[in-house]
Amino acid sequence: MKESDRKFVQAAGHETAYFECGAGAPLLLLHGSGPGVSGWTNWGGVMDQLAENFHVIVPDIAGFGFTEFKEDTHYDIKFWVNHLVEFMDAIGLDKASLVGNSFGGAVGIGLALFNPERLDKLVLLGTPAGTFVQTKGLAGAWLYEPSVENMRSLMELFPYDTSLITDELVQSRYEASARPGAQDALRKLIPQPSTDGETMVKGFPEKAVKNIKAPTLVLHGREDNVVPVQCGRVLSENIPNSDLYVFGQCGHWVQTEQKQKFLKILNSFIGGGQA
């Protein structure tokens, strides 16, 4: 696919950007947060391979990427899950498996808890859970002011191997981050870094994720400097039907940094049983 293949549909009062390709069992891919993030920047590198086996749908979450941000909208997890459900309705999708990267995983957890009938299997990549000290990556995302130089510095905090940060990626994310309202939307999601001591970040609590019924695969980079690997352990220890896979020499972008392993594990889990 090309980035120019982006389509739009109305969902929850927002013009919603998305990509769609392939045939087979439906598979939703949800991007994370961070300045300039979009479905394309998170998933463009694996869409075509996944489309060989699945009907792949990649939306931009409300307020992010190329989906609308509205000043008068109260964005929270219930809104984002409702937006996702209305997006599914708009494209005629009754039920799907879902792969969520970071914040996208949090939205996936919300779908599993609030609308479990719309979810088949759940895959969580670098997803926050429990309570943890705000990392340099999350603090940097809140403090970011749009410029190419600032974007490059921030992106270098995400992967284990910084050679993955290409000029094309930096430029693409910078352009998206400079859209009106983009940084405002992000700052509604991430706590403002404290100038006096540690800042605590709260993901879904343990007692909530214990109620997830969907078969779940938790994937996490061992060297994740954005969402610490302890979050993956919290999820796997509390979601009843779940497995955990930790990738060595891997930061926050499992699907990019460990692409071939990711594709093999995901195809096995979604297409068959537990990986």
Side-chain angles (χ1 to χ4, degrees):
M1 291 202 73
K2 305 183 297 296
E3 191 169 5
S4 59
D5 293 328
R6 184 181 287 112
K7 301 192 285 188
F8 292 88
V9 69
Q10 283 290 323
H14 285 60
E15 186 178 39
T16 301
Y18 72 105
F19 295 91
E20 188 171 19
C21 55
L27 183 64
L28 281 163
L29 307 179
L30 296 189
H31 61 76
S33 61
V37 74
S38 68
W40 178 260
T41 58
N42 260 193
W43 301 109
V46 295
M47 279 187 210
D48 288 341
Q49 290 93 329
L50 289 173
E52 293 173 7
N53 297 309
F54 305 108
H55 174 200
V56 177
I57 306 106
V58 188
D60 285 355
I61 298 168
F64 294 88
F66 293 85
T67 292
E68 278 188 292
F69 167 73
K70 294 188 173 182
E71 290 281 356
D72 59 349
T73 296
H74 176 66
Y75 293 100
D76 60 14
I77 193 66
K78 289 187 177 180
F79 176 85
W80 283 311
V81 172
N82 181 64
H83 173 252
L84 177 60
V85 169
E86 291 202 20
F87 168 75
M88 293 172 72
D89 290 342
I91 64 169
L93 185 60
D94 292 330
K95 189 175 185 179
S97 292
L98 186 150
V99 184
N101 182 200
S102 194
F103 161 59
V107 177
I109 290 173
L111 187 69
L113 294 175
F114 307 146
N115 300 87
E117 74 283 355
R118 307 301 295 265
L119 181 65
D120 188 4
K121 295 181 179 180
L122 179 63
V123 182
L124 303 173
L125 280 68
T127 297
T131 302
F132 58 96
V133 176
Q134 188 176 60
T135 59
K136 185 182 292 187
L138 288 177
W142 196 97
L143 295 167
Y144 169 81
E145 295 293 341
S147 77
V148 173
E149 295 75 16
N150 289 346
M151 180 58 74
R152 181 176 293 279
S153 296
L154 179 62
M155 288 297 94
E156 288 180 349
L157 297 175
F158 281 62
Y160 176 79
D161 179 2
T162 57
S163 70
L164 293 170
I165 307 301
T166 63
D167 291 344
E168 181 183 22
L169 174 62
V170 171
Q171 186 65 31
S172 175
R173 289 195 64 146
Y174 159 68
E175 289 174 2
S177 76
R179 295 175 66 239
Q183 190 63 7
D184 293 332
L186 178 63
R187 286 176 175 168
K188 291 177 182 291
L189 177 64
I190 300 172
Q192 182 175 358
S194 172
T195 57
D196 182 24
E198 295 177 336
T199 302
M200 302 307 295
V201 178
K202 294 182 179 180
F204 271 101
E206 290 89 335
K207 64 180 181 181
V209 301
K210 286 179 184 291
N211 295 314
I212 294 176
K213 300 295 192 295
T216 302
L217 180 63
V218 182
L219 307 178
H220 219 109
R222 187 181 63 200
E223 288 82 18
D224 192 332
N225 291 317
V226 180
V227 176
V229 69
Q230 74 185 60
C231 292
R233 297 192 180 102
V234 167
L235 289 167
S236 69
E237 289 167 4
N238 288 281
I239 298 174
N241 185 10
S242 66
D243 287 334
L244 170 66
Y245 192 108
V246 176
F247 296 79
Q249 296 186 321
C250 182
H252 194 54
W253 295 335
V254 168
Q255 73 275 29
T256 301
E257 298 179 68
Q258 296 285 349
K259 179 177 176 179
Q260 295 309 317
K261 288 182 183 178
F262 165 76
L263 289 170
K264 181 179 179 180
I265 292 168
L266 183 66
N267 276 297
S268 173
F269 176 68
I270 301 294
Q274 299 287 92

